[in-house]
Amino acid sequence: MTPSQADAIAQAILQPDNKREAIQQRQRAQAQYLARQRVAVAAGLAGMALGAAAAIWLPMAYSQGMMVGGALCFLLAHLGLAWRDRRRAARSRA
């Protein structure tokens, strides 16, 4: 391999490519989505525990308390995360 061929190969490897950038951007978006989902699921699980504990004092079954508490906390977590993302986007544009 001649030095000019080696330089051409190295340049092709090191030069940023639109396809690579698109893949990296998609992977970052996927990672952010998964991070949001993990936070929301953790909040939902905590809500299930709170709902089961609240079912002791409320006239409902444990399973109903778990479902109601989990759903409410999951919804609140999603709303909070969406609000946080909107604020970040507005700050980054400014």
Side-chain angles (χ1 to χ4, degrees), residues 4-93:
S4 62
Q5 290 174 332
D7 286 340
I9 291 171
Q11 195 70 6
I13 291 172
L14 296 176
Q15 187 175 16
D17 186 14
N18 290 338
K19 188 175 182 181
R20 281 188 210 152
E21 290 176 13
I23 290 170
Q24 288 174 349
Q25 184 178 5
R26 188 180 73 232
Q27 287 174 343
R28 279 192 300 270
Q30 234 175 6
Q32 288 174 347
Y33 174 76
L34 287 175
R36 279 188 66 182
Q37 288 298 101
R38 285 186 188 111
V39 169
V41 167
L45 288 173
M48 288 177 77
L50 291 173
I56 294 171
W57 294 287
L58 298 174
M60 65 173 58
Y62 286 120
S63 60
Q64 287 176 333
M66 288 175 66
M67 293 299 290
V68 169
L72 286 175
C73 284
F74 188 76
L75 175 67
L76 289 174
H78 267 293
L79 292 175
L81 291 169
W83 177 73
R84 184 183 71 178
D85 290 343
R86 280 195 305 270
R87 284 183 49 125
R88 278 187 185 162
R91 254 189 259 141
S92 67
R93 283 186 291 226

